[in-house]
Amino acid sequence: MKYKLLAASILAAMSTSALSATYQLTELSTLDEAKHHYVKDVNESGHIIGVANGIYNLPIDVSYIDFKDSLITRAYDRQKDYFELINKQITFTLDDIENNNAAATNPDAHSFMLSFLTAQAANPEYQKLANIIGYNVLNGEAQEQVLFDIASVDYDGLTRSVSNNYNAVAEDGIVVGWGSAPYKKTVFTPDGKTEQETRFVRDFISRGIIVSPSGLSVPLVPEFDEYGGISTASDIVKTNSGYTVVGQVSTGIPADRQENIDDNCDGEDQPISVCIEALHSSTSARLFDTRAVKWSLDSNLNITNTELLGLGLTPEEDDDFAFISNALAVNNKGIVVGFSDIRDNNRSSTIRSLPVYYKDGKVVEMLNQEDDWTGGKALAISEEDVIVGYGIKRIESENRLKFFYHDIASNSTVFPADFFNSSTSIANDINDNGYIVGEGETDVFNVGSRRRAGFLYQIGEDAITNINDLLPCYEADGETRYKYVVSEAKVINNNNEIFGVATKTVEKTDTLGGVVRDINGEIEYESIVVPVKLSPINGEVESCTDPETDTYKRQSASFPWYTLLLLPLVGLRRVLRN
C-alpha cells in the first residue's frame, strides 16, 4: 500500500523525530481459529489485512481411506514408536479414527492425520488441506475473508483446501489477492482397471481476485486460461477513474511443456488436471509463460484495460521453455515494480530473476550484474519514485539477500549496511518520508537458522536500527523482560507508524486448539507470531543488554519467523512474497 503525501508541517515534524523517539507496541486483533498471524498491508484509514496459519480443527475426511493400506499402517507404527521414545502412551488406534471420530476429538489422532495427509500432498488419492487463511481487521476486530473456498459436501464448513494470499488494500477498502480453486473429491477409473478410485482435483492453480467491503468478488481470469491458466493480484491503488491493480497472468505454454502435456496428460492413468498439477509442481518445469500485468478498472470494478508489462529479455527462436515476469507493487503515478527473467550478461544461456520496474513500456533493470547480483525482487515503491526490495549475491559461501533502495530520478541503487556482512536483509516498504522497513538476520554466530528482527532505516543514514531497540526493555513491573520481539516490519505509513509481526511466548496449543501438557501434566509453552502496530512516542531510547549475550541487544528467546512457513500448507507468496 502506498500513501499520498501529507502536509509539509507533518513531514517535517515526523522525519526529524522517528529515530530519536521510542515506539509503543499495540498487539492487533487476531482470529480465534488460528495460531499465527501476519500483517500483509494497511491503508491510510487503518484497514488492516493479513494472513493466518496454524488453523485449528482442520477437517479430516476419513470416509474414503482404506485403513488397512500399508501406507497408513506404517505411518501409525512410526507414530507409536515415536511416542515410546518420549515415554508417551498413544491414545488412539486407526480403528478409532475410522469408526469413532477420533480425528475430530482426540488431538493426537488429529495431529497424526494432518501429518499423514501432509506427507501425501503430491498424492492425488488423498484429501488436500491448506493451512493459511486471509483476514481483515475492521473496527478493531479480526474476521476471516474467504476468497475461493466453498462449503464442503463431505463435512461441515469450508473445504479448507485452498491457498489464500491476501495481499493489498486500497485507501477505500478494496482488497486484492489470489488463491486456488477448492479441491473436489471425485472418482476415477484408470485405464485397464475396473474399480473406481478416489481422486482429488481442482479447476485452477491460482487466480487473482478483487474483493470489495460489500462482499463483491471479481476474479481476474487470464486471457490464456487453458488448464485453468494462472493469475495473481499483488497490489492496488485507487485512481480518479477507478483502480489500478497489478500482478501476473499466464500468456501461453512453452513448446517443451506442451510436449510434456501431450505425452503424459492423456487422461488414461490420471485425470488430466492431476497430471497438470504434477507438471506445474515440478521445481524444474515452469508450465506457463507468465507476464507482469496492469489492470485498469472503473469504480464498479469492471476491467476497462489489461496491459501486459513485458519481459526483461527477448526470447530467441530456440528458447522453448517458459519465461516469467511479475508485478508486485504500483504507486499512484502508475509506475510498477517487481521482477523479471533477464539474461546473464556473460552467459546468454543463463537466466536470472532480477528486480525491475515497468515504466513507459520499458522493463528497467536496477542491479548491476557485474557486482555479482544473481537475483532479487523489487517489493514496494513510494510516491517519490523510490523503490525498495532485495538483491541476492554470494557472501561467505552462501547466497544472501541484501536490501536496497533505488531512486528512479537519479538512476541510483544503494545497498545500505545492514546488521553484519553475511546477514540476510529484506526491505518490505518505504514511505514518502524516506523511511524503509523490513527484516534482517541478527544472529551472526549461528551457522544454521538465524534469528531475525524488524528494522527501520532512513535514506541517507549510515546504519539500520533494530526496531526492538526502540521498545521497552521490561514490562510495567520493571523486572519482567519485555515479552514481544519484533521479527518483521511489513508496512510503514507517512505517520511513521509501523505494522508487522512479533513473537511472544504463550501456553502451547494442539491442532484442535486445546492446551498442551507434558507427560507430568505441566503446561507447555511455545512462541507464536502476532500482528502488531508500532506508534512513535516522545521519550528516550532505553539502553538494555540481553542477559544472554553482550554482543547483541534484545535477542530474547524466539524462533525464526520464516520457520512458520514450514508448517503444512498449500501455496503462498508475496508469502510470503509472490
Side-chain angles (χ1 to χ4, degrees):
M1 176 209 50
K2 312 298 170 282
Y3 294 83
K4 291 183 177 180
L5 288 174
L6 299 180
S9 60
I10 298 178
L11 288 175
M14 297 307 301
S15 64
T16 59
S17 65
L19 290 182
S20 62
T22 57
Y23 269 76
Q24 176 178 321
L25 184 150
T26 303
E27 185 174 336
L28 302 173
S29 176
T30 57
L31 301 170
D32 293 335
E33 299 86 356
K35 180 177 291 191
H36 305 288
H37 295 75
Y38 305 83
V39 171
K40 292 300 293 290
D41 199 12
V42 184
N43 71 6
E44 193 169 6
S45 62
H47 183 158
I48 301 164
I49 66 170
V51 294
N53 74 347
I55 304 170
Y56 298 123
N57 294 291
L58 283 172
I60 308 294
D61 178 13
V62 301
S63 63
Y64 66 96
I65 297 177
D66 177 5
F67 281 90
K68 294 180 176 60
D69 185 84
S70 61
L71 200 62
I72 194 166
T73 58
R74 287 198 303 267
Y76 181 75
D77 289 340
R78 289 192 295 269
Q79 186 73 12
K80 285 199 301 183
D81 291 342
Y82 170 70
F83 275 20
E84 288 179 6
L85 284 174
I86 62 173
N87 296 318
K88 180 176 179 180
Q89 184 176 0
I90 197 161
T91 58
F92 66 94
T93 65
L94 291 181
D95 182 71
D96 289 332
I97 296 175
E98 182 178 13
N99 298 308
N100 299 323
N101 200 29
T105 58
N106 183 314
D108 290 340
H110 185 260
S111 179
F112 165 75
M113 287 304 300
L114 286 182
S115 297
F116 175 74
L117 293 173
T118 300
Q120 304 306 316
N123 187 340
E125 299 178 24
Y126 287 90
Q127 178 188 7
K128 307 303 170 201
L129 290 171
N131 205 14
I132 293 182
I133 55 179
Y135 70 91
N136 299 288
V137 179
L138 294 172
N139 300 319
E141 294 294 325
Q143 56 187 18
E144 182 180 357
Q145 175 64 60
V146 178
L147 298 183
F148 290 104
D149 210 353
I150 58 174
S152 171
V153 298
D154 298 303
Y155 41 79
D156 293 338
L158 300 171
T159 71
R160 294 299 183 198
S161 65
V162 303
S163 302
N164 293 281
N165 299 276
Y166 208 39
N167 287 333
V169 57
E171 62 184 67
D172 62 351
I174 302 292
V175 181
V176 297
W178 60 272
S180 61
Y183 279 94
K184 297 173 289 187
K185 184 171 66 175
T186 187
V187 292
F188 177 77
T189 304
D191 189 45
K193 296 186 178 181
T194 57
E195 292 187 6
Q196 292 182 330
E197 300 176 358
T198 299
R199 295 291 185 271
F200 288 85
V201 299
R202 60 181 176 179
D203 294 332
F204 56 81
I205 295 168
S206 69
R207 183 75 77 243
I209 190 169
I210 305 170
V211 182
S212 74
S214 66
L216 174 65
S217 295
V218 180
L220 296 167
V221 181
E223 183 174 340
F224 182 88
D225 62 355
E226 290 187 34
Y227 310 110
I230 283 178
S231 67
T232 65
S234 298
D235 199 12
I236 180 172
V237 294
K238 193 176 186 323
T239 65
N240 292 332
S241 58
Y243 304 90
T244 297
V245 175
V246 298
Q248 181 186 53
V249 291
S250 53
T251 57
I253 295 176
D256 56 348
R257 295 288 78 80
Q258 187 61 57
E259 185 176 334
N260 293 148
I261 292 173
D262 295 340
D263 290 344
N264 300 292
C265 301
D266 53 14
E268 294 182 0
D269 299 322
Q270 294 281 9
I272 290 176
S273 65
V274 169
C275 183
I276 295 297
E277 286 272 343
L279 286 175
H280 181 264
S281 299
S282 171
T283 56
S284 61
R286 293 173 173 177
L287 182 60
F288 295 100
D289 276 303
T290 61
R291 297 292 182 269
V293 64
K294 179 166 68 174
W295 290 280
S296 299
L297 299 96
D298 63 22
S299 57
N300 296 315
L301 302 184
N302 298 304
I303 298 174
T304 59
N305 187 57
T306 301
E307 178 187 357
L308 298 181
L309 300 176
L311 188 66
L313 57 80
T314 301
E316 298 177 354
E317 289 186 8
D318 58 349
D319 288 336
D320 56 0
F321 46 87
F323 291 107
I324 67 169
S325 62
N326 201 346
L328 301 181
V330 60
N331 67 6
N332 285 324
K333 300 175 186 176
I335 303 175
V336 181
V337 303
F339 60 94
S340 175
D341 283 346
I342 292 178
R343 294 191 191 278
D344 186 280
N345 286 345
N346 299 315
R347 291 178 295 176
S348 62
S349 61
T350 299
I351 307 300
R352 309 288 188 189
S353 181
L354 291 166
V356 298
Y357 66 89
Y358 307 89
K359 182 182 179 185
D360 299 330
K362 297 179 180 179
V363 181
V364 183
E365 188 177 351
M366 286 176 279
L367 305 189
N368 187 350
Q369 291 188 40
E370 301 305 317
D371 292 335
D372 300 323
W373 297 106
T374 59
K377 295 179 181 179
L379 300 177
I381 179 171
S382 72
E383 298 309 320
E384 304 301 315
D385 300 342
V386 179
I387 300 165
V388 298
Y390 66 88
I392 303 173
K393 71 160 39 177
R394 198 82 171 167
I395 300 173
E396 295 183 8
S397 302
E398 297 287 344
N399 284 330
R400 307 291 186 184
L401 282 61
K402 292 292 184 180
F403 89 94
F404 72 85
Y405 65 89
H406 176 88
D407 187 338
I408 292 178
S410 62
N411 191 31
S412 60
T413 303
V414 177
F415 284 85
D418 51 13
F419 289 118
F420 53 91
N421 184 53
S422 64
S423 169
T424 278
S425 58
I426 299 169
N428 289 319
D429 197 23
I430 179 172
N431 68 10
D432 297 328
N433 309 330
Y435 287 98
I436 297 168
V437 293
E439 69 254 27
E441 292 175 336
T442 59
D443 191 359
V444 66
F445 298 110
N446 193 334
V447 295
S449 296
R450 292 169 164 175
R451 290 175 291 185
R452 293 195 177 197
F455 72 73
L456 175 65
Y457 173 82
Q458 182 181 11
I459 289 178
E461 293 294 316
D462 293 331
I464 62 176
T465 297
N466 186 328
I467 289 174
N468 294 288
D469 292 340
L470 305 178
L471 297 176
C473 301
Y474 299 96
E475 296 292 338
D477 62 11
E479 297 179 358
T480 306
R481 297 290 294 186
Y482 195 61
K483 65 182 177 180
Y484 295 99
V485 177
V486 177
S487 54
E488 174 182 351
K490 186 67 177 178
V491 177
I492 183 167
N493 64 20
N494 282 337
N495 292 323
N496 290 346
E497 295 170 326
I498 301 168
F499 297 82
V501 298
T503 59
K504 71 173 184 177
T505 300
V506 298
E507 293 182 348
K508 186 176 182 179
T509 51
D510 57 42
T511 58
L512 294 180
V515 175
V516 175
R517 296 178 181 271
D518 63 21
I519 59 175
N520 299 315
E522 299 294 328
I523 293 176
E524 296 185 9
Y525 292 84
E526 65 181 340
S527 289
I528 64 168
V529 171
V530 294
V532 295
K533 174 183 178 181
L534 298 143
S535 305
I537 57 174
N538 292 326
E540 297 296 327
V541 175
E542 298 181 34
S543 177
C544 47
T545 303
D546 189 332
E548 300 294 329
T549 176
D550 291 329
T551 305
Y552 283 95
K553 297 179 183 178
R554 320 284 290 284
Q555 304 280 330
S556 60
S558 65
F559 57 87
W561 69 269
Y562 50 82
T563 59
L564 297 175
L565 304 182
L566 301 179
L567 294 172
L569 55 91
V570 180
L572 184 65
R573 273 247 118 358
R574 192 184 179 188
V575 139
L576 310 157
R577 236 179 304 284
N578 260 342

